[in-house]
Amino acid sequence: MTETATTTVTTMNLRRRRGVKPLRATTRALRSFANHAEHLALLAGLAIVMKVEFHVGPSWLEHTGTQGVLVVLALAGVADLTRRTAFLAANQIDPDIEDGDAFWAVSHLLKELGIDVRGGALPYEVMSNLQTSHTLPRLYALLDDLAAAFADDDEDDDADAMREAAASIRSASRTLGDHHA
């Protein structure tokens, strides 16, 4: 295993040891705050404009026209900085941020294998490696686990879809000769 892979696995293991529910709640709160930071700055800017142009509002908002413009621009900058910081913090603590990232690498490798087969690779060699790697039984097991997770969350339509997909993969695996799925 490379140093990067070891670091990634270690980071993922550390994330999984912490309380997942509080991290998810904090992540949602940070992202919600980030999504609303610019709205809050806009409201503050409108309050300043109302005070400067129409003299409506508390006296501490009173600024000259130029000062008001500068304060509104500063608010926009602070809102952008706050938004970026909140998103960055949410991404750092999100326990689900890397869930599924491995699929992109697997997808790329499968695409490359298809290109190799079309380019003249020995199909029996590729099929043999597909069988001995137990890729299909592992995909079946993953889909079965997803079906159970959706069922636990009372997402019956998604659970049924995962079960149907798992059954198809199981059938494909058995067709290729793996009867462990």
Side-chain angles (χ1 to χ4, degrees):
M1 200 182 278
T2 65
E3 185 175 328
T4 304
T6 304
T7 303
T8 301
V9 170
T10 303
T11 303
M12 289 170 52
N13 288 338
L14 287 175
R15 285 186 180 163
R16 298 216 192 293
R17 281 189 226 143
R18 298 182 203 145
V20 174
K21 287 184 180 182
L23 286 174
R24 284 183 181 145
T26 305
T27 298
R28 277 193 303 276
L30 282 169
R31 288 192 175 130
S32 178
F33 176 74
N35 287 329
H36 292 71
E38 290 172 341
H39 298 127
L40 295 172
L42 178 66
L43 289 174
L46 286 174
I48 291 170
V49 168
M50 293 293 289
K51 184 63 180 177
V52 169
E53 293 298 320
F54 303 109
H55 306 291
V56 175
S59 60
W60 55 268
L61 275 179
E62 200 162 314
H63 300 284
T64 64
T66 306
Q67 288 174 333
V69 170
L70 291 176
V71 169
V72 168
L73 289 174
L75 282 171
V78 167
D80 184 55
L81 181 63
T82 302
R83 182 184 59 79
R84 290 173 189 251
T85 304
F87 274 130
L88 180 65
N91 288 340
Q92 290 296 314
I93 66 168
D94 188 352
D96 302 317
I97 195 96
E98 293 173 351
D99 289 356
D101 283 358
F103 287 119
W104 293 102
V106 170
S107 174
H108 178 74
L109 292 173
L110 291 173
K111 179 181 174 185
E112 292 295 317
L113 279 171
I115 291 169
D116 288 349
V117 169
R118 289 188 299 276
L122 298 173
Y124 286 108
E125 192 70 28
V126 174
M127 186 178 74
S128 174
N129 286 322
L130 178 61
Q131 290 169 328
T132 58
S133 69
H134 301 291
T135 301
L136 292 178
R138 288 186 178 128
L139 181 55
Y140 161 74
L142 174 61
L143 291 172
D144 196 45
D145 290 343
L146 283 170
F150 281 124
D152 289 345
D153 290 342
D154 293 326
E155 299 288 339
D156 294 330
D157 290 341
D158 291 328
D160 290 341
M162 289 298 110
R163 283 187 199 102
E164 187 177 325
S168 296
I169 296 298
R170 184 178 195 184
S171 176
S173 179
R174 288 186 170 177
T175 299
L176 290 178
D178 193 331
H179 299 288
H180 294 95

